[in-house]
Amino acid sequence: MSTFKALRIDKGDAGQTISTVDFDEADLMPGDVTVRVSHSTVNYKDGLAITGKSPVVRRFPMIPGIDFAGEVIASDSPEFAPGDKVVLNGWGVGETHLGGYAEIARVPAEYLVPLPEGLTPAESMAVGTAGYTAMLCVMALERHGVLPASGPVIVTGAAGGVGSVAVALLAKLGYEVVASTGREEEAGYLRDLGAARILPREELRHPGKPLQKEIWAGAVDSVGSVPLANVLAQTKSGGAVAACGLAAGMDLPASVAPFILRGVSLLGINSVTVPKPLRIEAWARLAQDLDREKLKAITRVIGFGDIVDTAKSIVEGKVRGRVVVEI
């Protein structure tokens, strides 16, 4: 096809606008693999990009969408051939490189990983960057020695995309999972995912002492700011916190006390430019360790025309779990 359907963000004197357009394939950016996109997803970062609430998009015009799954239709790379099923997360796609909210995408081969065996394209986007990031967090805790026998693990922002997958993964792996959320109505949902206990967000949102009672062997934090500072202050000696988000803010009003007096480790998780071997390992673990029925339970499917409204809702904290977009 010479033109295809795409969602495009433009920026002018009046600010950012977004519209559905017929995009010319000749205007795609350089890359050695062209993919017919079948599915994408809506992550919190996509919500920020589409609403303009954060300067995620750094090139205009831009096709947003930081994830996609689809089938290779042309390739100049020895890694991929037409007909191969592939998945993409990160690498600035949807930010500086034209993204996944389109019927066609062209990217460098290094951005792509083969669709993991056992996962459909739709399931891979039910995982998406949020679920893939959750897996990176779990793997980081494991590498640090935080194991099921170590004690309870807390997941903040538990009803969101990262949090939901993290709860499901940790529970299946045998951890005692405590889910922190500000949405009381999601307690049953989180227990169904495997949470042993629900901790109201209110208990973490106010500044606390630099060192508090030791509770957590580890944590997956997608919130940042004061809640993260409190989780660090409550982490047991030698424990670790995998931090991957900033829903409550980019600041960290903490002290060095947990680090130097208890040997707590803060593990930063960057999902955007992870080396390919680690990406492949994370996707293989997701295919192996994520309960497919639980994944289905936390996922809803929307059409292309619902992307913008869903993006607004996710920034407002009104979306739970994962969203798959059928392109």
Side-chain angles (χ1 to χ4, degrees):
M1 59 178 71
S2 58
T3 63
F4 56 88
K5 178 178 65 177
L7 199 63
R8 189 180 71 194
I9 298 176
D10 293 281
K11 190 171 185 180
D13 294 339
Q16 182 173 298
T17 59
I18 188 161
S19 57
T20 300
V21 300
D22 289 326
F23 200 89
D24 195 319
E25 191 170 345
D27 293 330
L28 286 171
M29 296 172 69
D32 44 9
V33 183
T34 303
V35 178
R36 178 175 288 110
V37 179
S38 62
H39 297 83
S40 187
T41 182
V42 182
N43 298 287
Y44 187 77
K45 195 172 190 178
D46 295 309
L48 294 175
I50 287 174
T51 60
K53 289 187 177 295
S54 183
V56 170
V57 177
R58 298 187 294 280
R59 174 198 185 275
F60 296 93
M62 174 54 62
I63 297 174
I66 66 172
D67 291 339
F68 66 74
E71 181 178 319
V72 174
I73 55 176
S75 175
D76 294 323
S77 167
E79 286 189 75
F80 299 101
D84 288 349
K85 299 292 197 306
V86 293
V87 178
L88 179 141
N89 308 101
W91 291 112
V93 170
E95 303 174 60
T96 58
H97 191 102
L98 298 177
Y101 293 156
E103 292 177 304
I104 301 290
R106 181 180 297 136
V107 296
E110 66 179 305
Y111 291 5
L112 300 169
V113 297
L115 179 71
E117 187 174 347
L119 284 180
T120 66
E123 286 173 332
S124 75
M125 287 298 98
V127 173
T129 284
Y132 157 71
T133 302
M135 187 74 250
L136 291 173
C137 289
V138 172
M139 290 166 61
L141 293 177
E142 290 175 337
R143 287 194 301 271
H144 190 78
V146 179
L147 303 174
S150 303
V153 172
I154 186 170
V155 176
T156 64
V162 173
S164 294
V165 178
V167 170
L169 282 169
L170 290 164
K172 187 178 179 186
L173 291 168
Y175 290 83
E176 178 189 347
V177 184
V178 176
S180 171
T181 181
R183 295 183 253 175
E184 295 180 10
E185 67 277 12
E186 304 294 7
Y189 162 80
L190 291 167
R191 288 193 179 93
D192 287 343
L193 291 180
R197 183 161 63 89
I198 310 300
L199 184 75
R201 180 173 59 196
E202 193 67 22
E203 295 192 25
L204 294 174
R205 69 182 304 178
H206 301 293
K209 295 179 180 179
L211 284 177
Q212 301 171 33
K213 181 180 178 181
E214 296 183 46
I215 305 172
W216 318 116
V220 173
D221 176 74
S222 62
V223 175
S225 194
V226 172
L228 174 55
N230 283 322
V231 168
L232 288 165
Q234 296 170 6
T235 298
K236 294 180 179 182
S237 294
V241 177
C244 63
L246 44 72
M250 292 185 67
D251 61 322
L252 180 56
S255 81
V256 297
F259 309 118
I260 63 174
L261 298 179
R262 290 181 180 166
V264 171
S265 294
L266 179 58
L267 311 175
I269 305 300
N270 166 29
S271 64
V272 177
T273 55
V274 174
K276 183 169 282 191
L278 185 56
R279 286 175 178 265
I280 292 172
E281 180 186 355
W283 275 105
R285 286 286 305 275
L286 284 159
Q288 169 188 304
D289 295 334
L290 185 57
D291 186 308
R292 224 55 59 80
E293 287 302 312
K294 287 185 178 178
L295 180 64
K296 184 177 179 181
I298 69 175
T299 303
R300 66 185 177 96
V301 179
I302 65 171
F304 190 90
D306 300 317
I307 293 173
V308 173
D309 286 343
T310 304
K312 293 175 181 176
S313 295
I314 202 169
V315 171
E316 293 168 358
K318 296 178 180 178
V319 174
R320 79 174 186 189
R322 302 291 298 128
V323 178
V324 170
V325 182
E326 290 186 337
I327 302 296

